[in-house]
């Protein structure tokens, strides 16, 4: 490797340290990438990568429209109605509330792809239900946390359109490709958390169990669950499945399905059209700023690594061993997810730099890209500093460390299973 490649290795280490210290992710990635471009006399390479990522139409449409829909679902109370009707029949199940609540969270997370948003909606209802049933606070929080991997299957999750675009696949085709592995991880989470909680005696109750009322989602005084409104969050997913599997005449893109679902939500929820429109576009803006922002930053970082020659050196090494790529693509994003509390930054950087060369390692882009984002999210699900972990721990008033003690073993098993089976 040349001197620039060795400098790039040092920069990668500094970037990892900065992410662990919780510095702004986009700042860290962009600054690192531009620095490497400058020392490689290729500043325009970094700037061109920034501009190219900004205008990636397939990603912008899918991500921004999904976030817009999520915002209006929250505004109309559709998310709360959905959780209300899912939670009502499960009271009195004892320790089996844990796997049921994990399963409910998993499927709600498909409709509400934000892990924190899903946990806030579900945790506000299900964590108090579990505590009243005698489940210990750490187990109640872990049950919800373990279900926040359902976003794997949402077309609005940034990684699905990102990898699909790279592999030149339709988003729904890519989701269909990794769905068996995503459901496998969900099953491991459901069963694994139940076993760990049973071994730790979490079904024996706690006399000090209570929730932090200040962290619960507050319903407006006039809020009333509406069964029709409860169906709104699943409308876009249903439209995409029906159009792609059963009725080709109804086939549509993610953005179209999200807009149509939002319009139906407006009618069913009888919302104020002006406020409704503002919420939708607030959501699209938030999606661009938070999600597309990380994708853009990862693109600049990748451009810097390419300019410095580190990627070429890394790819040459991986060509010699399929196993190195297999374990690097799983353990790398997983560990970064654990230590940074986010599976996004490391996974996007990996998929931007290494995954396009998957064929050189005897793999497919969809296989290696899917492996990286599934294991990165598994790492986030067992990280004590992840935003969603802190959120559910706050609701249950328990230490995040106690919560991830219940999710760590199942997520580790899931990562190993993915590495062995996906590529």
């Amino acid at each position: 490797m040349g001197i620039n490649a060795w400098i790039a290795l040092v920069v990668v280490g500094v970037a990892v340290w900065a992410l662990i210290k919780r510095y702004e992710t986009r700042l860290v990635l962009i600054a690192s990438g531009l620095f490497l471009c400058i020392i490689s006399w290729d500043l325009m390479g970094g700037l061109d990568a920034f501009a190219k990522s900004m205008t990636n139409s397939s990603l912008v449409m899918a991500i921004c429209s999904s976030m817009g829909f999520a915002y209006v679902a929250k505004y109309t109370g559709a998310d709360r109605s959905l959780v209300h009707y899912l939670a009502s029949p499960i009271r009195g199940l004892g320790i089996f509330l844990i796997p049921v609540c994990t399963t409910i969270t998993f499927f709600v997370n498909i409709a509400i792809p934000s892990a924190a948003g899903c946990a806030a909606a579900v945790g506000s209802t299900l964590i108090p239900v579990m505590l009243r049933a005698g489940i210990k606070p750490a187990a109640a929080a872990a049950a919800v946390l373990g279900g926040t991997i359902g976003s794997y299957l949402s077309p609005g999750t940034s990684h699905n359109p990102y990898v699909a675009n790279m592999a030149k696949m339709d988003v729904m085709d890519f989701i269909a490709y990794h769905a068996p592995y995503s459901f496998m991880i969900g099953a491991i989470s459901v069963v694994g958390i139940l076993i760990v909680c049973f071994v730790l005696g979490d079904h024996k109750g706690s006399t000090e169990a209570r929730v932090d009322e200040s962290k619960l989602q507050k319903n407006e005084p006039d809020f009333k669950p509406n069964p029709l409104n409860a169906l709104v969050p699943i409308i876009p997913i249903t439209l995409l499945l029906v159009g792609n599997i059963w009725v080709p005449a109804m086939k549509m893109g993610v953005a179209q399905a999200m807009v149509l679902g939002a319009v139906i939500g407006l009618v069913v929820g009888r919302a104020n059209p002006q406020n409704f429109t503002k919420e939708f576009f607030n959501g699209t803006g938030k999606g661009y700023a938070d999600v597309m922002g990380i994708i853009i930053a990862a693109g600049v970082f990748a451009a810097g690594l390419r300019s410095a020659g580190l990627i070429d050196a890394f790819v040459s090494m991986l060509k010699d061993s399929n196993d190195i790529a297999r374990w690097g693509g799983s353990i790398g994003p997983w560990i970064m997810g654990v230590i940074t509390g986010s599976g996004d930054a490391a996974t996007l950087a990996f998929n931007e730099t290494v995954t396009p060369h998957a064929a050189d390692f005897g793999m497919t882009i969809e296989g290696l890209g899917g492996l990286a984002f599934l294991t990165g999210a598994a790492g986030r699900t067992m990280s004590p500093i992840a935003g969603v972990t802190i959120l559910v721990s706050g609701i249950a008033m328990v230490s995040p460390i106690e919560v991830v003690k219940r999710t760590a073993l199942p997520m580790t098993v899931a990562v190993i299973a993915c590495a062995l089976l996906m590529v």
Side-chain angles (χ1 to χ4, degrees), residues 6 58 166 202 249 294 301 389:
W6 287 107
S58 59
M166 189 185 305
D202 289 332
I294 294 179
F301 183 63
T389 305

Side-chain angles (χ1 to χ4, degrees), residues 151-218:
S151 60
Y152 292 157
L153 296 165
S154 172
T157 297
S158 60
H159 300 282
N160 279 322
Y162 188 81
V163 177
N165 182 62
M166 189 185 305
K168 295 180 173 55
M169 298 173 66
D170 182 79
V171 174
M172 296 306 295
D173 290 337
F174 176 61
I175 292 175
Y177 166 79
H178 70 71
Y181 307 105
S182 297
F183 280 115
M184 176 190 72
I185 296 176
I188 292 173
S189 180
V190 169
V191 176
I193 291 174
L194 171 63
I195 292 174
V196 173
C197 290
F198 182 79
V199 170
L200 295 177
D202 289 332
H203 57 296
K204 298 177 181 178
S206 171
T207 57
E208 300 178 355
R210 62 192 187 281
V211 296
D212 186 345
E213 298 289 341
S214 67
K215 290 184 172 62
L216 297 181
Q217 279 196 333
K218 300 297 183 182

